[in-house]
Amino acid sequence: MIISVASGKGGTGKTTVSTALALSLPGPVQLLDCDAEEPNAHIFIKPDIKRTEDVFIYVPRIDEDICTLCGRCAEVCAYNAIAVLPGSGRTAGRALVFRELCHGCGSCRYFCPENAIKEEKRKVGVVEVGYRGELEFVHGRMNIGEAMSPPVIRAVKHKLNKGRTVIVDAPPGTTCPVITAIHGSDACVLVTEPTPFGLHDLRLTVEVIKKMDIPFGVVINRHGLGDERTEEYCAQEGIPVLMKIPFSKEIAAEYSRGISIVEAFPEYRDEFAGLVKKLEEEMSR
Ligand code: SF4
Ligand code: SF4
C-alpha cells in the first residue's frame, strides 16, 4: 500500500504525520521524503545513510556548425528553455539553451531537422538511501539554486519498494512537484490546521486529489487553535477526519528538538496505526 501525506501549505505538520506513520505501522515500512526542496524527515527518523546516488537530467547541446537557426527547437520547447536569435547585419545569430529551465524532455532533439542537437548530463541533485532498524528511508536533495524538483522526486520514487508499506512525504502546495510525488498512491492523508489559511489551502488540495481520483482523509493538526470551520467543511463535503492532533506546547517542544510525536508520546502510536485502517475503509467504498 502506498500512502501519500500532503498539505496545501508548508508548516501544517505534514512531516510530523508522515514520520509518525513510518514509526508506528507494523511490518516492513518504507518512507520516501519527496520534499526535495527542503527535506526534513531525516531529522526525526535519524537514518543510517548507506548509499548516495547522483540525479541527472539530459539537457541539449547545440552544434553551432550544423544549426541553421530555423527556430523549431524553441517552438517545441514547452518550458521556454531555448531561444533562437536571428542574425542581423554583422551580428551572427545564436541558439541559446537555458539549462536551468530545461526539463530534459528531449522534444527539441527529436524535432531538430538538422540533427544539430546532442544531449549531455546535468546533475540536479542526489538521492540518499538509509535505514533505521527495519525502516527503509529514502530522500532526495536538489542542488542549491536548482529550480525544478520533479526530476529528483522521480528519482526518489524509483526507489519505491512495493514489498513494504510505503509512506510518501509530498512537497507542500498543489503544483507539479506535489502531483509527481502523490501520483500512483493508493490513498492520501491531507494534513491541515484549523485556521483560515489552512482551510483555504485544504480546499485547493482536495480539488487536486479529487481530480486524481485518490481516496483520502484529513488529519487536523493543532486542533484547538483557530475555529470549527475546517471540521464543518469536512462534514459538508463528506471528507473523513482521520485524526486530530491537539495544539500542544509539549508536542511543539519535542518537534523543535527533532523528536517524533510517537517517540515523545507513545500513546499516539495506536492512533497513527489506526489511521491507516480508516483510510482502507475509504478505499473500499
Ligand atoms: S531546431 Fe536544430 S537547426 Fe533549428 S534552431 Fe534548433 S538546433 Fe538549430
Ligand atoms: S529537452 Fe525539452 S525542456 Fe529541455 S530545452 Fe529541449 S524541449 Fe526544452
Side-chain angles (χ1 to χ4, degrees):
M1 183 176 183
I2 304 169
I3 303 167
S4 288
V5 182
S7 65
K9 73 179 188 66
T12 51
K14 184 171 54 58
T15 302
T16 297
V17 173
S18 62
T19 52
L21 280 171
L23 293 170
S24 303
L25 296 183
V29 175
Q30 183 190 45
L31 174 61
L32 305 181
D33 185 352
C34 289
D35 192 355
E37 283 185 46
E38 205 173 348
N40 63 349
H42 63 284
I43 295 170
F44 301 92
I45 300 296
K46 302 174 182 64
D48 183 11
I49 298 294
K50 296 290 189 192
R51 293 197 308 279
T52 300
E53 298 170 15
D54 292 337
V55 180
F56 296 96
I57 62 170
Y58 288 86
V59 299
R61 182 171 49 79
I62 296 175
D63 185 336
E64 295 185 353
D65 292 336
I66 303 175
C67 173
T68 59
L69 302 176
C70 71
R72 185 75 180 122
C73 52
E75 281 170 19
V76 300
C77 180
Y79 305 99
N80 296 319
I82 299 187
V84 178
L85 310 176
S88 161
R90 281 189 291 176
T91 308
R94 287 206 62 189
L96 303 173
V97 178
F98 303 102
R99 293 157 58 94
E100 287 73 22
L101 298 180
C102 173
H103 283 231
C105 72
S107 298
C108 53
R109 183 178 183 208
Y110 182 82
F111 284 102
C112 174
E114 309 295 338
N115 200 20
I117 298 180
K118 302 287 179 283
E119 289 178 330
E120 56 191 16
K121 281 162 87 176
R122 188 169 82 80
K123 184 181 165 186
V124 292
V126 295
V127 166
E128 294 182 314
V129 181
Y131 295 86
R132 170 177 163 161
E134 292 297 305
L135 172 63
E136 187 174 63
F137 176 86
V138 186
H139 72 177
R141 283 191 287 114
M142 293 162 64
N143 284 354
I144 291 170
E146 281 300 329
M148 297 178 308
S149 59
V152 179
I153 294 171
R154 279 192 287 272
V156 172
K157 292 190 73 178
H158 274 136
K159 302 289 180 194
L160 193 144
N161 182 344
K162 286 198 170 164
R164 293 171 177 257
T165 303
V166 180
I167 309 296
V168 177
D169 188 352
T174 50
T175 54
C176 204
V178 183
I179 309 297
T180 306
I182 66 180
H183 178 74
S185 297
D186 298 306
C188 192
V189 177
L190 302 184
V191 184
T192 188
E193 58 183 19
T195 63
F197 281 139
L199 177 55
H200 174 269
D201 292 331
L202 175 64
R203 288 177 193 270
L204 295 178
T205 318
V206 165
E207 280 181 41
V208 171
I209 301 294
K210 280 184 174 172
K211 283 208 168 77
M212 295 180 77
D213 202 20
I214 298 174
F216 68 98
V218 164
V219 169
I220 300 178
N221 191 26
R222 303 191 189 98
H223 185 252
L225 174 79
D227 55 37
E228 303 299 315
R229 279 182 284 179
T230 301
E231 284 182 75
E232 288 167 7
Y233 164 73
C234 290
Q236 279 164 13
E237 297 292 321
I239 299 169
V241 175
L242 306 169
M243 185 176 171
K244 298 172 192 172
I245 303 172
F247 182 44
S248 153
K249 185 178 174 185
E250 288 73 26
I251 293 174
E254 296 297 338
Y255 180 90
S256 70
R257 294 171 51 219
I259 309 291
S260 166
I261 179 173
V262 294
E263 290 186 294
F265 307 99
E267 62 271 25
Y268 281 104
R269 280 181 192 271
D270 286 348
E271 232 181 307
F272 276 101
L275 185 157
V276 174
K277 290 200 174 62
K278 292 180 190 170
L279 269 181
E280 284 171 342
E281 285 168 19
E282 282 305 301
M283 289 165 60
S284 63
R285 285 188 186 189

